[in-house]
Amino acid sequence: MKNRELGASGISTAPLVFGGNVFGWTVKGKDTTLLLDAFVDAGFNTIDTADVYSRWVEGNKGGESEAEIGNWLKQSGKRDKVAIATKVGAEMDSGSKGLKKDYIIKSAEASLKRLQTDYIDLYQTHYDDPSTPVEETLRAYDQLVQDGKVRAIGTSNMSVERLHESLKTSVEKGLITYQTLQPEYNLFDREKYETTYEPF
């Protein structure tokens, strides 16, 4: 199995990533440990989650997936064997959402606490926030990287137009640059990626 680097992030990942939206929903406690231990022991290393996972479950507020992963990280001692990717921007139970600088900084701190780690390998824009200038969002991420709390940034569910603007702003202002894009892409939902994102 050949690992691949995520952009120019310096983060090396196996070609399959564990989707963590199941944690705190259909997988909890000992089952989390069982699955993540088996995943890492098989040679895989990247776990993808989001602050909002798994808010959709009755009684949940968001953050449950990160908390499950955090408990496993603490108990297993395998933090140095995995890359943790999480996301910000989706609406949490409190009604809070978006990509304003103060909100990103506060959300990152909350994610770090739940994950029980000092840093996030890949911090991703979950949903774009057109009401916030891309420069403000990038400055928040840049601060987190400078503070050693985030290694690299990525994005998901962002239009090509806003992605282009973000990349241009990063270069012009000397700010951190998105290294990854996590679009919807599968055998059924292919057209948007293949006609829009792939050419870009």
Side-chain angles (χ1 to χ4, degrees):
M1 181 165 54
K2 185 177 180 181
N3 282 11
R4 304 169 186 181
E5 186 176 356
L6 296 175
S9 68
I11 299 169
S12 180
T13 182
L16 291 177
V17 173
F18 198 116
N21 69 343
V22 296
F23 298 126
W25 175 23
T26 56
V27 177
K28 299 178 185 178
K30 291 180 180 179
D31 289 336
T32 298
T33 299
L34 183 70
L35 287 174
L36 290 179
D37 279 344
F39 181 72
V40 173
D41 291 346
F44 299 101
N45 69 321
T46 305
I47 304 164
D48 177 77
T49 186
D51 58 1
V52 73
Y53 296 167
S54 50
R55 182 189 168 210
W56 53 85
V57 179
E58 186 176 349
N60 284 4
K61 298 180 178 181
E64 291 81 12
S65 173
E66 289 180 332
E68 286 280 327
I69 294 166
N71 289 336
W72 172 76
L73 287 173
K74 183 178 180 180
Q75 293 165 7
S76 70
K78 295 179 179 177
R79 180 63 184 96
D80 63 340
K81 294 185 177 181
V82 294
I84 301 294
T86 193
K87 308 182 198 73
V88 63
E91 186 171 358
M92 298 290 280
D93 183 63
S94 61
S96 301
K97 65 177 180 177
L99 298 175
K100 298 207 176 299
K101 184 176 180 181
D102 290 347
Y103 182 70
I104 289 175
I105 300 296
K106 184 176 97 173
S107 297
E109 293 292 350
S111 289
L112 287 166
K113 186 175 181 180
R114 287 188 293 263
L115 288 164
Q116 300 185 58
T117 186
D118 296 329
Y119 65 96
I120 295 163
D121 295 282
L122 180 65
Y123 202 36
Q124 303 164 100
T125 292
H126 201 166
Y127 293 97
D128 193 13
D129 175 10
S131 69
T132 301
V134 296
E135 183 176 345
E136 179 177 348
T137 299
L138 292 167
R139 287 198 181 278
Y141 290 141
D142 200 72
Q143 180 179 321
L144 289 168
V145 172
Q146 295 298 325
D147 292 344
K149 295 176 179 178
V150 167
R151 290 180 62 196
I153 62 169
T155 187
S156 179
N157 303 302
M158 180 178 279
S159 70
V160 165
E161 292 75 21
R162 286 274 285 185
L163 180 55
H164 181 268
E165 184 183 356
S166 296
L167 296 176
K168 183 180 176 185
T169 300
S170 292
V171 172
E172 291 177 349
K173 304 292 181 179
L175 299 170
I176 190 72
T177 302
Y178 287 125
Q179 295 298 321
T180 62
L181 171 66
Q182 189 183 101
E184 181 178 43
Y185 184 55
N186 55 56
L187 288 173
F188 183 78
D189 292 299
R190 298 172 54 179
E191 185 176 4
K192 185 174 181 180
Y193 173 79
E194 291 178 352
T195 61
T196 306
Y197 292 111
E198 186 174 30
F200 176 74

